[in-house]
Amino acid sequence: MDAGGTSRIDPAVGERLRRLREARGVSLSALARSAGIGKATLSGLEHGTRNPTLETLYAVAGALEVPLTALVLAPGDPPGAAADVRGAAVTATLLEVFEEPGATFELFWMRVRPGVVQHSPAHAPGVTEHVTVHRGVLRAGPGEAPLVARAGEHISWRADVPHVYATVGPDEVVANLLIRSPR
């Protein structure tokens, strides 16, 4: 991570992003528009001159309708090969990727810093998020109606709408995040 809150991502992320975009026949401008990010930002990601935030990676993955791991992990690589990704409040470490015929499941170890709200863009249609809190109190879920979970509790929501992550109180939250992406 750098001091600015962005992730130091493998330069191959940009190459995977470009290949996915081109395979779908989507222009740089069209993908930037549908992801809600600047064309210069997207170009910088593809060329490896920009380090993306977690929010940017999810916006692009959602617009391409692929799981985050399609961008941050090379096919066949173990989950530990993926770099941690960091957003405004969340730092996520990929623990495992599970593939089933109808869905991909991504399991993350997640830390949420206090005092900051992270706004996460909508994921692809049908994506759900499931969080189990181990320490602290988490407020997360749809931006209009976030849920609260304490240590030992679980919450889940449809993540194909904008959603948020924040702590309740001054303590960091430690949790597991499971993202289910239908194929």
Side-chain angles (χ1 to χ4, degrees), residues 77-182:
D77 277 359
D84 289 356
V85 287
R86 184 173 177 167
V90 173
T91 299
T93 302
L94 180 64
L95 299 176
E96 191 60 73
V97 179
F98 307 94
E99 301 282 343
E100 290 186 355
T104 298
F105 297 84
E106 301 164 298
L107 179 63
F108 294 91
W109 181 254
M110 178 174 72
R111 294 183 175 277
V112 184
R113 291 175 292 289
V116 182
V117 176
Q118 180 162 320
H119 297 272
S120 188
H123 298 302
V127 172
T128 56
E129 293 194 15
H130 310 267
V131 177
T132 301
V133 176
H134 299 286
R135 186 173 68 222
V137 182
L138 178 69
R139 183 174 60 86
E144 298 299 316
L147 307 163
V148 174
R150 290 164 178 71
E153 295 179 340
H154 170 268
I155 55 175
S156 47
W157 64 90
R158 287 189 59 115
D160 53 6
V161 298
H163 46 287
V164 297
Y165 292 93
T167 64
V168 175
D171 299 324
E172 177 183 67
V173 168
V174 176
N176 282 112
L177 167 64
L178 180 69
I179 301 175
R180 180 189 180 279
S181 301

